[in-house]
Amino acid sequence: QVQLVESGGGLVQTGGSLRLSCAASGRTFSSTTMGWFRQAPGKEREFVAAINWSGGNTYYTDSVKGRFTISRDNAKNTVYLQMDSLKPEDTAVYYCAARRSPFSSVYDVASYAYWGQGTQVTVSS
């Protein structure tokens, strides 16, 4: 069982930065691929970024490449999402998630078994 708690969301102007954190409990964190997803009002939840257990492999959706950076600290059971050059279209609730199986796609919502409660990110124009 993995429990996830996100923090770090807020209101920021276009071009600003935020860093999201996701604190995990559970002894399997260090061996689990972690992901960040987001959901805007009226839209489906979408993949943002993921990182494998060691941090050696990272994955991003095209719209955030070069602006967002995912990282993790296994000693602290925490995964981060550094978001720079924010745009109004980045406005959404951001969720941290733990992948269900090493054989599932890192990009699919259904591949993740555990989810945090979400943190709101609002980018004003």
Side-chain angles (χ1 to χ4, degrees):
Q1 189 80 5
V2 177
Q3 292 183 326
L4 306 171
V5 178
E6 303 98 334
S7 62
L11 173 64
V12 65
Q13 291 185 335
T14 297
S17 298
L18 284 173
R19 188 175 83 152
L20 305 184
S21 299
C22 173
S25 63
R27 57 187 176 90
T28 61
F29 173 81
S30 61
S31 62
T32 302
T33 291
M34 300 296 295
W36 285 97
F37 290 75
R38 65 187 180 187
Q39 188 167 18
K43 295 188 176 181
E44 293 187 352
R45 192 167 298 188
E46 65 173 0
F47 171 81
V48 176
I51 186 167
N52 78 327
W53 68 274
S54 68
N57 291 314
T58 56
Y59 312 84
Y60 298 94
T61 191
D62 286 345
S63 63
V64 308
K65 285 180 181 177
R67 300 189 299 121
F68 290 11
T69 304
I70 189 171
S71 62
R72 68 189 296 162
D73 185 338
N74 286 341
K76 296 182 178 179
N77 275 16
T78 303
V79 63
Y80 305 97
L81 185 67
Q82 177 66 42
M83 304 186 296
D84 298 319
S85 302
L86 283 161
K87 305 175 181 180
E89 51 263 45
D90 295 318
T91 295
V93 177
Y94 283 71
Y95 297 91
C96 172
R99 193 170 70 161
R100 183 189 312 272
S101 160
F103 305 107
S104 57
S105 169
V106 299
Y107 301 101
D108 293 340
V109 170
S111 297
Y112 293 78
Y114 304 101
W115 294 83
Q117 82 288 352
T119 185
Q120 176 71 46
V121 171
T122 303
V123 185
S124 63
S125 57

